[in-house]
Amino acid sequence: MALQRGHRFPVEFAEAFPRGLVLIGEIEPDLEYVSQEDRARGREARQLVDEVTKLRQWRGTVTDPDEQKAKRASFDVIFTAEVQPAPLPDEVLPGMRPIELVGLTASPKVMGQGEFKYLGYEYRATGVKAPGTAETARPAGRPDGTAHDAVKASEKKAG
């Protein structure tokens, strides 16, 4: 049987991004498009749900320091998880964190416009972690505002 359109190939992070990635900003909900007319009618944007996993989609912008072309160095990664992945707070510069993607998959995709089209990849992941560690992403926080258990455990180790 042939591969179906939209097949997601599992990829090792170190193979796809040998020099790692840098997250720019935060990982935010991936919201559906709402036109100005619908917005004027009071229609709220809903968070997208992945068709394959049925989990919520989140989106984060990353930069690949190994990419030679500036236009292709920064791109969005789609995260599929029930709760928002939150990277560890190790900022290199304000709003920039080195990360490693967990559960990485790649899907071939035609990118560019007009006569400047090229073959690129849409990357998806299930979470993030600090580079070179076993600790995976943690939720942004609990509904009651308290920190997640992984944060408390890391604070105990540090203190």
Side-chain angles (χ1 to χ4, degrees):
M1 180 177 189
L3 293 174
Q4 297 297 314
R5 182 174 184 257
H7 179 76
R8 298 174 186 172
F9 295 92
V11 179
E12 290 295 321
F13 179 79
E15 185 179 339
F17 306 106
R19 291 181 53 197
L21 290 176
V22 176
L23 177 68
I24 301 171
E26 300 296 327
I27 298 172
E28 311 219 340
D30 190 9
L31 302 175
E32 70 181 355
Y33 174 76
V34 178
S35 68
Q36 285 185 334
E37 295 143 4
D38 285 342
R39 221 175 283 142
R41 292 182 195 137
R43 182 168 180 238
E44 294 289 321
R46 292 181 294 177
Q47 187 171 3
L48 295 173
V49 175
D50 183 52
E51 300 121 15
V52 176
T53 63
K54 306 298 182 209
L55 296 172
R56 294 178 184 197
Q57 285 188 188
W58 310 86
R59 189 174 289 271
T61 302
V62 296
T63 295
D64 181 3
D66 206 31
E67 178 59 54
Q68 300 298 317
K69 296 187 178 192
K71 289 185 178 186
R72 297 183 192 180
S74 292
F75 55 92
D76 284 351
V77 173
I78 299 169
F79 295 91
T80 53
E82 198 52 46
V83 293
Q84 181 178 5
L88 300 171
D90 299 332
E91 290 186 338
V92 178
L93 293 170
M96 299 181 82
R97 296 176 179 92
I99 61 166
E100 192 172 313
L101 301 175
V102 177
L104 179 64
T105 62
S107 299
K109 182 178 180 179
V110 175
M111 300 185 151
Q113 297 176 349
E115 62 188 71
F116 302 103
K117 292 183 182 176
Y118 61 95
L119 178 63
Y121 294 93
E122 179 179 72
Y123 292 101
R124 291 177 179 264
T126 57
V128 294
K129 68 178 187 173
T133 65
E135 185 174 346
T136 57
R138 55 187 168 58
R142 293 192 175 143
D144 63 0
T146 60
H148 188 267
D149 293 338
V151 176
K152 291 178 185 175
S154 66
E155 289 172 355
K156 281 184 181 179
K157 287 179 186 175

